[in-house]
C-alpha cells in the first residue's frame, strides 16, 4: 500500500512539474490567436496577428538575421570546436589544465560580462583599424566564441568513449590520415557533431545579451526585436512570434528524436 501511494505521489508530482513548465507556453500560444489586442482576456479566435506578422518587414528582417547568424556561427563553431575536441583527446595525457580553464571560461562567465567585453574589443578594434563595425559580422564572431567550448566538450566526450585501439587498427590497415578522417573518425563521431550543431544553433537563436551588445543598427535579431517591442506593451503579435519559435524548437526536437530512434 505504501509503495502504491508513493508511486501515485511521484506520478502526481511529475504531472504538476510538467504543467508548471509548459502552462506558460500554452498561455502564450493561446493568446496568439486572440481576436482582440488584449493580453489578459480571450475574446475570440483569429489568425490576424499571424497575417500581420508575415507582413511586418522589421520582423522578417530580424528573422532572417537570426537564421543567418545561427547557421553561420554554428557551422564555424562546429569546425573549430571539432578540431579542438580532437586535439584535447590526442593530448589528454599531458597537463592541459590551463586549456580546460580557457575552454570552460566562456561557459561559466556571465553573459553580460562576456557581451560587454566583446563590445569593448570590437569598438577598439574598429577605432584602430576601421574594420569590424558593429553588425552581423561582429555578432557571428561573438557567437562563435561562446559556441566553441560546447562543441569541443561534446566532441571530446565522444572521442573519450571510443576504444583507443580503433585508431591503431585504422593505421594497421594502411589508411592514410585523410581516409582515417573521412571513413572512420567523421562517421564515428557523427552523432556528436549533429548534437553539437543543434546545441550551437539553439544557443545562437536564444541568445539576447551578447547579441544586444555586439549588434548594429541593421542587424537586430528576433530576441532583440521582441525586447524592444515589449517595452511598448505585450501584444498578440509578440505571442505569435513566440508561438512560431516554440513550434520550430518542438519540430527540431521531433526530428532529433526520429533520427535517434532510426539510428538505434
Amino acid at each position: 500500500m505504501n509503495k502504491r501511494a508513493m508511486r501515485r505521489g511521484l506520478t502526481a508530482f511529475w504531472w504538476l512539474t510538467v504543467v508548471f513548465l509548459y502552462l506558460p507556453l500554452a498561455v502564450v500560444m493561446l493568446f496568439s490567436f486572440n481576436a482582440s489586442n488584449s493580453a489578459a482576456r480571450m475574446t475570440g479566435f483569429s489568425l490576424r496577428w499571424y497575417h500581420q506578422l508575415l507582413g511586418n518587414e522589421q520582423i522578417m528582417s530580424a528573422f532572417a538575421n537570426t537564421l543567418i547568424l545561427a547557421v553561420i556561427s554554428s557551422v564555424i563553431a562546429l569546425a573549430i570546436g571539432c578540431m579542438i575536441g580532437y586535439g584535447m583527446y590526442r593530448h589528454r595525457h599531458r597537463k592541459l589544465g590551463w586549456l580546460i580553464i580557457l575552454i570552460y571560461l566562456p561557459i561559466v562567465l556571465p553573459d553580460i560580462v562576456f557581451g560587454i567585453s566583446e563590445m569593448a574589443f570590437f569598438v577598439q578594434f574598429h577605432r584602430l583599424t576601421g574594420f569590424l563595425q558593429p553588425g552581423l559580422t561582429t555578432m557571428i564572431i561573438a557567437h562563435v566564441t561562446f559556441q566553441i567550448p560546447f562543441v569541443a566538450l561534446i566532441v571530446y566526450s565522444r572521442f573519450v568513449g571510443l576504444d583507443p585501439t580503433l585508431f591503431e587498427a585504422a593505421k594497421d590497415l594502411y589508411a592514410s590520415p585523410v581516409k582515417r578522417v573521412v571513413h572512420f573518425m567523421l562517421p564515428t563521431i557523427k552523432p556528436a557533431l549533429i548534437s553539437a550543431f543543434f546545441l550551437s544553433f539553439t544557443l545562437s537563436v536564444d541568445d539576447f545579451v551578447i547579441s544586444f551588445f555586439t549588434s548594429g543598427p541593421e542587424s537586430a535579431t528576433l530576441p532583440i526585436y521582441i525586447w524592444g517591442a515589449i517595452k511598448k506593451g505585450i501584444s498578440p503579435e509578440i505571442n505569435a512570434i513566440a508561438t512560431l519559435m516554440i513550434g520550430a524548437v518542438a519540430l527540431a526536437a521531433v526530428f532529433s528524436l526520429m533520427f535517434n530512434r532510426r539510428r538505434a
Side-chain angles (χ1 to χ4, degrees):
M1 187 67 181
N2 292 332
K3 291 183 178 180
R4 182 179 300 177
M6 182 178 296
R7 185 179 302 173
R8 291 179 178 178
L10 291 175
T11 303
F13 177 76
W14 157 254
W15 284 110
L16 287 175
T17 303
V18 171
V19 171
F20 177 77
L21 291 175
Y22 291 99
L23 184 60
L25 301 180
V27 172
V28 169
M29 297 174 66
L30 176 64
F31 277 92
S32 68
F33 298 100
N34 196 1
S36 63
N37 189 7
S38 174
R41 186 168 59 91
M42 191 74 181
T43 59
F45 183 86
S46 176
L47 295 175
R48 57 177 292 198
W49 303 110
Y50 288 91
H51 291 290
Q52 184 174 332
L53 175 66
L54 295 177
N56 192 322
E57 294 183 359
Q58 291 182 344
I59 294 179
M60 291 296 102
S61 176
F63 173 76
N65 290 334
T66 302
L67 193 61
I68 293 172
L69 174 63
V71 172
I72 296 179
S73 63
S74 298
V75 170
I76 297 175
L78 185 65
I80 300 176
C82 181
M83 291 186 289
I84 294 177
Y86 178 68
M88 292 170 58
Y89 172 76
R90 282 290 304 272
H91 303 282
R92 63 190 182 279
H93 300 299
R94 299 183 179 181
K95 296 181 180 180
L96 299 177
W98 60 271
L99 180 60
I100 301 299
I101 294 175
L102 291 178
I103 291 176
Y104 272 102
L105 187 60
I107 297 178
V108 301
L109 198 66
D111 286 346
I112 189 169
V113 176
F114 197 87
I116 292 175
S117 62
E118 292 278 352
M119 179 190 66
F121 170 77
F122 289 133
V123 169
Q124 291 297 326
F125 188 87
H126 177 69
R127 184 177 64 85
L128 295 175
T129 65
F131 297 102
L132 293 183
Q133 184 177 1
L136 199 58
T137 302
T138 57
M139 296 173 71
I140 291 174
I141 297 174
H143 279 222
V144 168
T145 54
F146 75 80
Q147 290 170 343
I148 285 177
F150 293 95
V151 177
L153 293 176
I154 292 175
V155 173
Y156 172 73
S157 63
R158 177 60 177 169
F159 276 120
V160 170
L162 296 178
D163 188 350
T165 58
L166 293 175
F167 297 89
E168 299 299 330
K171 293 180 181 179
D172 293 339
L173 293 173
Y174 302 102
S176 63
V178 176
K179 289 184 177 181
R180 288 200 300 267
V181 172
V182 175
H183 298 288
F184 166 61
M185 292 175 56
L186 290 181
T188 303
I189 65 172
K190 184 172 70 172
L193 296 178
I194 295 175
S195 301
F197 176 81
F198 277 109
L199 177 60
S200 300
F201 186 88
T202 304
L203 291 172
S204 177
V205 172
D206 292 343
D207 179 74
F208 165 74
V209 177
I210 298 175
S211 299
F212 177 78
F213 282 105
T214 57
S215 63
E218 303 297 330
S219 59
T221 59
L222 278 178
I224 296 176
Y225 176 85
I226 293 174
W227 178 79
I230 286 178
K231 293 190 295 184
K232 302 177 183 178
I234 300 177
S235 69
E237 189 176 8
I238 302 300
N239 294 334
I241 300 175
T243 301
L244 293 178
M245 295 180 68
I246 293 171
V249 173
L251 189 64
V254 170
F255 279 126
S256 177
L257 181 62
M258 293 174 60
F259 171 78
N260 292 331
R261 286 185 176 181
R262 183 177 179 181
R263 179 174 176 272

